[in-house]
Amino acid sequence: MSIYDTLNENQREAVFHTEGPLLILAGAGSGKTRVLTHRVAYLIEQGVMPYHILAITFTNKAAEEMKERVDDIVGENGGSIWVSTFHSMCVRILRRHIDRIGFDTNFTIYDTDDQKTLMKEVIRLLNIDTKVFKERMLLSIVSSAKNEMVSPDEFEQRMEGDFQKKRIAKVYREYEKQLKKNNALDFDDLLLKTVELLQRDEEVRSYYQDRFRYIMVDEYQDTNTVQFELIRILSDKYRNLCVVGDDDQSIYKFRGANIQNILSFEDVYKDARVIKLEQNYRSTQTILDAANAVIQNNKGRKEKALWTDNGQGDVIAMKTFESAYEEAEYVVGDISQKVREGKEEYKDNAILYRTNAQSRLFEEKFVTAGIPYKIVGGVNFYSRREIKDILAYLKTIDNGKDDIAVRRVINVPKRGIGLTSVNRVQNYAQDKDISFYDALLGADFIPDIGRGLSKLESFVALIEYLKGAKEKLGLFDFVKEILSKTEYIESLEQEDPEVAQTRMENIDEFISKVAAYEENAIASGEQASLSGFLEEVALVADIDSLDESQDYVILMTLHSAKGLEFPSVYLTGMEDGLFPSYMTIVADDKDELEEERRLCYVGITRAKQHLTLTNAKRRMIRGETQYNKTSRFLKEIPRYLIAKGAVFEREKPDRDGFGFKPKTGFRENPFKERKPIKQFNVNDSSGPGYDVGDRVLHTKFGVGTVTNITAGGRDYEVTVNFDTAGVKKMFATFAKLQKQ
Ligand SMILES: Nc1ncnc2c1ncn2[C@@H]1O[C@H](COP(=O)(O)OP(=O)(O)OP(=O)(O)O)[C@@H](O)[C@H]1O
Ligand SMILES: [Mg+2]
């Protein structure tokens, strides 16, 4: 029996159709992603070199899964195939060739926070009135322009004649100039610069066109204009382009996704073959019927007939609660009961919601009930203050042109460098058109720098010392050297002890990540470089941290749930004013409403066996109590699919069409950070469980002898002389050494 026997006829057809453009347009759970994986395997079996294959997924995690599955099917042969997200692929290309369009190959990648800082700088430089133009709005305009591949010049022409809009054009131009000056790219640039590179450089273009003879793109309905162009250029020579998607699941319009890319694929690629998959393997008929009933209400979609032979399954549970507290209590209790009865494991359950803020109540209940849970999204680990500080040191050392990084750490920890000095350096750098750090290097030339000079000089000396240390030390030791030389931990200890504790735990986790990165690199015979690490960090998305081997309930927004599936799904907060959102309702925007309805369709179709839909009559949103009616999407689900006893609340007359919201002055508690993993405590006299002279085993480095143990700030620092890997220093908490 071959692996292709497990596919249905249409799926097989899609797998075997390898030459020329191919569109697989199909509904949720019909095996689109599975087809892509099998197609990669089939190509390799047909003798296509893995090197000639490019597969693009929506998340790094999906890329990893695809690689693993391809490896399962074809053995380790899949090694040199590129399976990655658009962004990772672009970084890989740019690191090699971006110098051809005038950037250094060690560019920094700016995240949203960095972008905001830079935009503030632009606003200051151009004297922009922040009452008229908010930085977030400006960033989103710039981002849309980039996604549409509109250059600052073009943008300016379009804005001709309107004074306010011309100001925005100036902002865009200056923002670009500053990015360049910092040798930095924002997320949109990763795509845009790659397209620019491929357009401008004939040599690079032919290289990649020849390399990627077979290109596949998953979740094609959410590609934007630049991504479309990128794929078009890359596939222009061989034209073996296979895209898969579902127009009903296009949910990223706010990030520039263009649904036309999938809807007009056949117009652009006239010889395209189109294959539809109609059998759903994921869900019960009841769940599918509900999903179909909801999405029917959208206009301008491609009609699809989804069916399944998974059977009718359970009816859908629908519950209305007085308050969001009760909603959370019910969901947590329900999961807990199923697990106690042995019906399911925690990880079979996903709680989905429209906005990140909704996770908090569930989290509280899980903590009280002692149930393991994992929130995807929310405060990103890498955007925490302490982690950003360390990253800024790393960036300062790696790419001295990154002004934002340098300015972030110049007085962190406090070393008496005031804003006046920083501004003087800044103005000088601006005048001379040099980077902030270059200005620091020649700080004695800066007019009026006066008494600030010696402190600036010692900061420069510190950074120069660390640059030298970087060359001598492994990455892990180097990060520890930074912490020690900057006395960062000590500075945290002077803060509020409880906050400091959490921050230090995060730093420990960060150091573990560095160690893991270094170990992985060593294990795969590569150099663990600082740039490589920073790149990995810049590209991690929250969803990448999901680990199927762990038994926890998963909580995430509907947007993050795309492509995933769970035996039991709780779609929570199904209320008009929340989902669909307040803005959509008041603006009466049909396109927005359809986008939200697609999101609802995505949510429903994540469920394999059980679907529970909940709503609360009363909930606190941004500190205000809101009274909401049941979501209009729920009312689109036929009653016969819903468990008896579910009652829609009676419609209340209201003033603005969706419920009234009395104001209260009551604020919600600030989000409380979770307590992370167990740590060794140096005050605990039991020690790390081994002693100097003991033989210990490390999972990567093998066996060695402990030569030193020091009680560091909050952990033991252990030095081991490994028989083959040499001397290494590590923290006991994550070195996980086993006494032999
Ligand atoms: N021919 C098949 N036989 C058995 N199971 C299948 C088959 N095709 C797909 N499946 C299973 O159905 C489920 C859904 O498949 P997959 O995730 O590939 O669908 P999809 O179309 O990509 O869904 P989505 O639109 O949500 O991304 C998976 O668990 C997959 O393993
Ligand atoms: Mg899929």
Side-chain angles (χ1 to χ4, degrees):
M1 192 178 119
S2 98
I3 53 163
Y4 310 107
D5 293 345
T6 62
L7 302 173
N8 68 36
E9 205 177 307
N10 290 343
Q11 291 178 328
R12 256 200 306 274
E13 193 181 340
V15 167
F16 297 158
H17 181 66
T18 57
E19 311 302 303
L22 169 68
L23 165 65
I24 304 171
L25 182 71
S30 57
K32 296 183 296 295
T33 303
R34 184 172 157 121
V35 162
L36 275 195
T37 314
H38 281 72
R39 206 167 176 276
V40 172
Y42 181 73
L43 286 168
I44 297 174
E45 277 185 4
Q46 293 301 297
V48 173
M49 277 165 62
Y51 171 84
H52 285 314
I53 301 173
L54 169 67
I56 295 178
T57 56
F58 205 70
T59 60
N60 294 309
K61 185 174 154 58
E64 283 308 315
E65 277 173 14
M66 188 172 288
K67 266 186 241 169
E68 276 169 28
R69 288 203 220 158
V70 170
D71 278 350
D72 286 349
I73 303 175
V74 298
E76 291 292 309
N77 263 341
S80 50
I81 129 173
W82 276 29
V83 185
S84 71
T85 61
F86 271 108
H87 287 103
S88 307
M89 166 181 92
C90 289
V91 173
R92 249 170 120 171
I93 295 178
L94 294 174
R95 287 275 179 231
R96 289 189 201 166
H97 312 288
I98 198 173
D99 50 343
R100 292 175 179 238
I101 53 168
F103 283 78
D104 286 351
T105 51
N106 66 339
F107 58 85
T108 300
I109 303 168
Y110 274 4
D111 66 9
T112 326
D113 277 356
D114 302 327
Q115 282 181 284
K116 277 193 201 143
T117 315
L118 189 69
M119 189 52 92
K120 277 195 193 128
E121 178 69 21
V122 169
I123 287 173
R124 190 185 67 86
L125 280 171
L126 297 181
N127 259 324
I128 298 285
D129 181 355
T130 46
K131 283 198 214 66
V132 184
F133 300 107
K134 300 258 174 289
E135 91 215 3
R136 260 177 59 175
M137 171 188 117
L138 291 170
L139 279 170
S140 116
I141 295 174
V142 168
S143 174
S144 309
K146 288 187 180 188
N147 285 330
E148 291 300 318
M149 302 201 302
V150 178
S151 68
D153 282 343
E154 236 181 299
F155 192 85
E156 188 158 22
Q157 278 167 18
R158 290 191 192 181
M159 296 304 158
E160 209 52 57
D162 182 325
F163 174 73
Q164 295 289 33
K165 289 181 177 163
K166 266 177 79 175
R167 301 278 292 163
I168 301 180
K170 283 213 172 64
V171 168
Y172 181 16
R173 189 181 299 284
E174 185 62 30
Y175 175 79
E176 288 300 283
K177 191 176 146 202
Q178 293 293 328
L179 275 175
K180 181 91 191 275
K181 195 165 149 259
N182 290 328
N183 195 30
L185 303 187
D186 64 19
F187 260 63
D188 301 318
D189 280 340
L190 295 177
L191 299 157
L192 195 59
K193 297 296 170 201
T194 309
V195 168
E196 204 178 305
L197 170 73
L198 293 171
Q199 282 172 340
R200 276 170 46 185
D201 196 302
E202 147 60 56
E203 207 180 338
V204 175
R205 183 169 65 244
S206 326
Y207 170 80
Y208 285 105
Q209 284 179 341
D210 265 318
R211 167 153 194 179
F212 298 132
R213 297 187 185 178
Y214 292 88
I215 300 180
M216 277 153 278
V217 187
D218 198 2
E219 305 279 3
Y220 189 68
Q221 75 278 0
D222 275 324
T223 49
N224 61 26
T225 303
V226 207
Q227 289 166 336
F228 173 84
E229 188 53 20
L230 181 59
I231 290 302
R232 196 196 59 74
I233 300 178
L234 286 175
S235 62
D236 208 31
K237 182 160 177 199
Y238 286 90
R239 296 175 52 82
N240 298 323
L241 171 62
C242 164
V243 301
V244 314
D246 176 4
D247 52 318
D248 288 334
Q249 293 186 65
S250 172
I251 54 174
Y252 278 100
K253 194 166 82 172
F254 68 98
R255 275 205 226 147
N258 185 353
I259 199 169
Q260 286 310 320
N261 289 351
I262 195 160
L263 293 178
S264 54
F265 189 81
E266 295 160 80
D267 301 330
V268 178
Y269 296 90
K270 295 269 185 251
D271 51 338
R273 178 68 182 276
V274 182
I275 295 179
K276 293 193 172 174
L277 308 175
E278 295 182 335
Q279 179 168 3
N280 169 295
Y281 289 89
R282 178 181 293 148
S283 310
T284 63
Q285 190 65 53
T286 299
I287 292 168
L288 271 193
D289 287 348
N292 286 337
V294 170
I295 201 68
Q296 286 299 328
N297 295 289
N298 273 7
K299 312 256 173 321
R301 52 184 286 269
K302 296 216 176 181
E303 191 61 41
K304 285 175 244 57
L306 265 189
W307 61 278
T308 184
D309 64 9
N310 288 348
Q312 199 64 41
D314 290 351
V315 279
I316 295 167
M318 206 181 268
K319 308 264 178 204
T320 300
F321 299 93
E322 287 303 315
S323 69
Y325 290 96
E326 287 168 34
E327 177 190 48
E329 200 164 77
Y330 169 77
V331 173
V332 172
D334 197 41
I335 294 174
S336 159
Q337 185 177 348
K338 285 188 298 186
V339 174
R340 267 203 316 273
E341 290 171 358
K343 289 186 187 151
E344 280 183 356
E345 293 181 86
Y346 290 122
K347 66 175 175 194
D348 295 331
N349 292 277
I351 301 177
L352 308 180
Y353 34 77
R354 178 71 181 84
T355 60
N356 273 311
Q358 286 164 256
S359 65
R360 195 178 61 83
L361 290 178
F362 292 105
E363 173 161 44
E364 277 176 12
K365 299 284 175 210
F366 280 124
V367 171
T368 321
I371 292 175
Y373 65 95
K374 167 91 182 175
I375 298 180
V376 176
V379 184
N380 183 335
F381 177 75
Y382 290 103
S383 34
R384 291 165 201 263
R385 189 193 92 188
E386 58 282 7
I387 304 303
K388 291 217 77 163
D389 285 344
I390 305 177
L391 285 172
Y393 270 105
L394 291 172
K395 288 176 184 168
T396 300
I397 295 159
D398 187 48
N399 167 18
K401 289 189 187 159
D402 187 348
D403 290 1
I404 290 194
V406 183
R407 287 205 324 250
R408 182 178 182 100
V409 293
I410 192 164
N411 198 34
V412 173
K414 289 202 172 50
R415 44 177 78 89
I417 299 178
L419 202 57
T420 325
S421 297
V422 172
N423 285 343
R424 283 196 176 119
V425 180
Q426 168 99 8
N427 292 339
Y428 181 77
Q430 224 163 293
D431 277 356
K432 298 275 177 259
D433 204 19
I434 57 176
S435 77
F436 187 87
Y437 191 74
D438 282 340
L440 280 178
L441 280 172
D444 44 341
F445 292 107
I446 301 176
D448 303 326
I449 201 68
R451 286 193 295 128
L453 181 62
S454 66
K455 286 175 182 142
L456 294 179
E457 282 179 341
S458 51
F459 174 71
V460 169
L462 171 73
I463 298 298
E464 291 300 305
Y465 164 80
L466 290 170
K467 280 186 181 167
K470 177 187 147 209
E471 303 305 320
K472 294 193 206 87
L473 299 174
L475 195 56
F476 168 73
D477 290 328
F478 171 59
V479 171
K480 285 191 44 215
E481 184 70 3
I482 295 179
L483 288 172
S484 131
K485 279 285 174 313
T486 56
E487 299 177 5
Y488 189 81
I489 305 274
E490 289 81 345
S491 78
L492 284 185
E493 278 161 358
Q494 283 154 23
E495 287 183 14
D496 168 1
E498 201 176 319
V499 179
Q501 169 72 11
T502 317
R503 294 200 193 284
M504 286 193 282
E505 282 163 354
N506 288 334
I507 292 178
D508 282 353
E509 195 176 331
F510 179 79
I511 298 180
S512 316
K513 285 179 197 290
V514 174
Y517 173 79
E518 192 168 34
E519 287 177 9
N520 274 339
I522 293 171
S524 53
E526 284 164 23
Q527 180 111 29
S529 73
L530 178 54
S531 306
F533 175 72
L534 288 174
E535 185 169 299
E536 200 170 280
V537 167
L539 295 175
V540 286
D542 288 308
I543 192 80
D544 301 331
S545 64
L546 263 194
D547 179 354
E548 269 94 30
S549 65
Q550 302 249 26
D551 190 24
Y552 43 48
V553 180
I554 293 144
L555 291 88
M556 65 178 122
T557 62
L558 288 152
H559 279 99
S560 305
K562 201 170 71 155
L564 306 178
E565 57 187 25
F566 305 91
S568 282
V569 167
Y570 295 82
L571 267 187
T572 65
M574 299 295 294
E575 295 138 36
D576 266 17
L578 187 59
F579 187 38
S581 76
Y582 177 69
M583 285 310 289
T584 307
I585 298 172
V586 285
D588 195 19
D589 184 330
K590 299 229 164 23
D591 289 348
E592 282 302 321
L593 187 66
E594 296 212 343
E595 174 104 350
E596 300 238 0
R597 191 176 279 112
R598 287 192 290 268
L599 196 54
C600 183
Y601 173 79
V602 167
I604 295 174
T605 54
R606 298 310 97 197
K608 291 164 101 169
Q609 280 113 35
H610 308 289
L611 178 65
T612 305
L613 304 158
T614 62
N615 66 296
K617 292 185 187 168
R618 190 173 78 233
R619 86 166 58 233
M620 196 82 100
I621 297 176
R622 272 172 251 104
E624 281 180 11
T625 303
Q626 292 196 0
Y627 295 83
N628 292 328
K629 289 201 290 197
T630 311
S631 170
R632 60 194 64 196
F633 299 146
L634 287 195
K635 298 177 189 163
E636 292 168 0
I637 300 177
R639 298 301 301 261
Y640 71 90
L641 299 172
I642 298 168
K644 287 209 178 61
V647 272
F648 289 113
E649 85 210 65
R650 261 201 295 133
E651 310 278 309
K652 287 195 212 94
D654 55 43
R655 273 176 282 138
D656 53 7
F658 72 97
F660 63 96
K661 29 173 223 148
K663 290 221 187 276
T664 69
F666 196 61
R667 291 254 148 221
E668 299 195 34
N669 287 334
F671 178 75
K672 208 165 172 344
E673 293 190 70
R674 267 157 286 145
K675 289 269 177 276
I677 42 165
K678 174 189 174 297
Q679 308 280 331
F680 282 110
N681 182 355
V682 289
N683 300 321
D684 168 3
S685 57
S686 63
Y690 38 79
D691 231 319
V692 172
D694 279 348
R695 297 280 287 163
V696 289
L697 174 72
H698 182 269
T699 48
K700 286 270 155 52
F701 302 136
V703 182
T705 307
V706 178
T707 57
N708 191 28
I709 301 178
T710 342
R714 311 183 37 266
D715 194 358
Y716 292 98
E717 189 184 83
V718 185
T719 313
V720 183
N721 189 356
F722 287 102
D723 298 356
T724 46
V727 179
K728 304 263 174 216
K729 273 190 191 175
M730 45 190 71
F731 280 146
T733 304
F734 56 86
K736 300 206 178 73
L737 298 169
Q738 280 172 23
K739 192 172 161 185
Q740 291 299 286

